[in-house]
């Protein structure tokens, strides 16, 4: 089964073709980072317009790379939520129209299920069951995964997602957008330990997260640094390092707690923040001590992409799931409402 995947939930237009026998045949991605950078964050209307401009050219590019025509596909998968309403509508309408025109079924994919299943695109893929850490600009969740569509939320952020906190910290430090890579780059030159940041909610029972207090602590630290007259490049790097260490430690502690609670030893990490090399190294080191294993997608599949949507869509199309002719996006869509496969 060959499935075309379309991702347009936020600020990246992703298109890919997945073959159930040959794996990923072709993929292409267009990032809107430069478009939104001057605003310090995503502008929904601009994002929607750019998806309209780039989606069909990317579809043609991917079909050419795969040496295929649209009529040779077996299905079309599109991100139906959660995400920005206007951006979702672009992919949903285009995907449903292409499927109708080519005479193939279409399936609506949950954006976070796509992220959760992205490590399955790698040669060394995890087996069910496992704990998934979904950590991005919009979500921070710990999920027990017993199979496709069989999800139980163990904990989630009560306010800012980890990726959102990175973006806000970067803005406070004047490091630019998107914040995650900018903070990580600055932290490489920082002195760990000069500043001590709190690890939010790690001393409380449960697996929920909260990063708003850490954001406030960062703001106060930056303000104190400026008042002291020493807010230079090194000071910014030191604050960035302290912030990153606090987020990484918090995520590692919560992941370890979730694995113990559920009596599992396999962790899957996905979403934009999962590309953070310090987080990857710290989790691998921690789990190695207990015989556990951590899986994550290649860096280019950590952020939004069409490959994860094509794969997730193929999983559901194979068991006969498909959409009607109507289009009904879900900007808010709990993963626990998904149908098991």
């Amino acid at each position: 089964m060959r499935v075309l995947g379309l991702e347009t939930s936020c600020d990246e237009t992703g298109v890919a073709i997945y073959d159930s026998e040959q794996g990923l045949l072709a993929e292409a991605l267009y990032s809107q980072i430069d478009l939104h950078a001057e605003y310090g964050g995503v502008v929904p209307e601009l994002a929607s317009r750019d998806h309209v401009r780039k989606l069909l050219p990317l579809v043609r590019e991917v079909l050419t790379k795969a040496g295929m025509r649209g009529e040779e596909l077996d299905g079309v998968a599109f991100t139906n939520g959660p995400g920005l309403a206007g951006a979702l509508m672009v992919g949903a309408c285009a995907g449903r129209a292409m499927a109708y025109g080519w005479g193939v079924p279409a399936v609506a994919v949950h954006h976070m299920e796509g992220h959760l299943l992205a490590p399955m695109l790698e040669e060394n893929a995890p087996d069910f069951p496992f704990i998934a850490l979904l950590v991005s600009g919009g979500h921070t969740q710990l999920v027990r995964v017993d199979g496709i569509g069989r999800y139980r939320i163990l904990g989630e952020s009560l306010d800012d997602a980890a990726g959102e906190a990175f973006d806000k910290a970067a803005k406070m430090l004047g490091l630019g957008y998107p914040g995650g890579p900018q903070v990580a780059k600055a932290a490489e030159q920082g002195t760990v330990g000069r500043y001590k940041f709190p690890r939010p909610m790690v001393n409380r029972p449960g697996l929920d997260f909260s990063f708003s207090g850490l954001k406030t602590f960062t703001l106060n630290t930056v303000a104190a640094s400026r008042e002291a007259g020493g807010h230079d490049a090194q000071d910014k790097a030191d604050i960035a390092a302290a912030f990153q260490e606090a987020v990484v430690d918090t995520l590692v502690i919560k992941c370890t707690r979730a694995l113990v609670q559920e009596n599992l030893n396999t962790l899957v990490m996905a979403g934009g923040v999962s590309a953070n090399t310090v987080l990857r190294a710290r989790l691998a080191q921690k789990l190695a001590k207990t015989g556990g294993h951590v899986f994550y997608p290649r860096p280019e599949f950590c952020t939004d992409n069409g490959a994860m949507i094509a794969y997730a869509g193929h999983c559901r199309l194979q068991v006969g799931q498909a959409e009607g002719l109507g289009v009904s996006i879900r900007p808010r869509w709990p993963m626990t409402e998904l149908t098991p496969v």
Side-chain angles (χ1 to χ4, degrees):
M1 173 174 278
R2 292 165 295 187
V3 178
L4 175 71
L6 309 177
E7 160 58 30
T8 65
S9 66
C10 190
D11 60 344
E12 283 158 323
T13 312
V15 179
I17 298 174
Y18 181 84
D19 186 300
S20 55
E21 295 183 358
Q22 301 179 57
L24 188 63
L25 297 182
E27 58 96 16
L29 181 72
Y30 173 75
S31 174
Q32 300 177 1
I33 286 177
D34 292 342
L35 175 66
H36 301 288
E38 63 178 297
Y39 303 101
V42 178
V43 181
E45 179 64 23
L46 295 180
S48 303
R49 292 180 182 182
D50 225 32
H51 287 308
V52 171
R53 186 172 65 90
K54 296 299 295 186
L55 184 58
L56 291 183
L58 286 177
V59 170
R60 287 192 288 268
E61 177 185 335
V62 166
L63 286 170
T64 299
K65 285 181 179 178
M68 295 177 57
R69 295 178 293 108
E71 294 82 356
E72 297 176 285
L73 292 165
D74 299 300
V76 177
F78 55 87
T79 302
N80 205 51
L84 301 175
L88 291 169
M89 188 62 75
V90 175
C93 290
R96 193 64 199 83
M98 284 186 277
Y100 181 78
W102 292 327
V104 298
V107 65
V109 172
H110 192 288
H111 178 73
M112 296 312 294
E113 181 172 69
H115 275 303
L116 186 152
L117 296 176
M120 301 298 186
L121 292 163
E122 308 302 328
E123 289 187 11
N124 183 28
D127 296 320
F128 300 112
F130 55 76
I131 299 296
L133 171 65
L134 302 178
V135 55
S136 66
H139 298 81
T140 303
Q141 294 179 320
L142 279 167
V143 185
R144 180 184 171 109
V145 181
D146 289 297
I148 298 174
R150 298 171 62 195
Y151 310 131
R152 179 159 57 90
I153 306 298
L154 304 176
E156 57 191 339
S157 180
L158 304 178
D159 38 62
D160 291 356
E164 183 181 2
F166 266 106
D167 285 341
K168 290 179 178 178
K171 192 170 185 178
M172 295 172 199
L173 292 168
L175 296 177
Y177 175 85
Q182 298 293 337
V183 171
K185 183 178 179 180
E188 292 176 359
Q189 308 302 319
T191 302
V192 175
R194 180 186 171 195
Y195 290 99
K196 297 187 182 300
F197 279 36
R199 275 57 173 163
M201 295 186 70
V202 298
N203 294 322
R204 300 183 188 180
L207 297 169
D208 286 332
F209 302 88
S210 174
F211 294 105
S212 63
L214 189 61
K215 175 190 67 178
T216 303
F217 193 93
T218 304
L219 181 64
N220 291 337
T221 303
V222 170
S225 170
R226 286 174 176 157
E227 288 178 8
H231 194 59
D232 56 12
Q234 185 59 53
D235 206 37
K236 289 183 179 181
D238 293 344
I239 294 173
F243 175 86
Q244 178 174 254
E245 286 292 309
V247 174
V248 167
D249 281 353
T250 301
L251 294 174
V252 170
I253 289 169
K254 295 285 186 172
C255 287
T256 305
R257 188 179 296 176
L259 289 166
V260 172
Q261 174 183 300
E262 299 299 312
N263 194 29
L264 295 173
N265 66 354
T266 301
L267 177 75
V268 164
M269 182 170 59
V273 180
S274 69
N276 184 286
T277 56
V278 175
L279 177 59
R280 290 188 176 203
R282 202 72 56 82
L283 277 171
Q285 182 182 31
K286 183 70 174 180
L287 267 63
K289 294 179 179 178
T290 59
H293 305 279
V294 59
F295 296 83
Y296 37 74
R298 68 196 76 168
E300 58 265 36
F301 291 163
C302 289
T303 53
D304 297 349
N305 62 87
M308 67 182 192
I309 303 304
Y311 179 82
H314 124 273
C315 292
R316 294 189 171 274
L317 285 167
Q318 278 194 321
V319 297
Q321 293 187 20
E323 308 305 314
L325 290 178
V327 173
S328 180
I329 59 168
R330 298 193 63 179
R332 295 181 180 273
W333 188 6
M335 238 186 2
T336 50
E337 293 182 5
L338 292 173
T339 305
V341 170

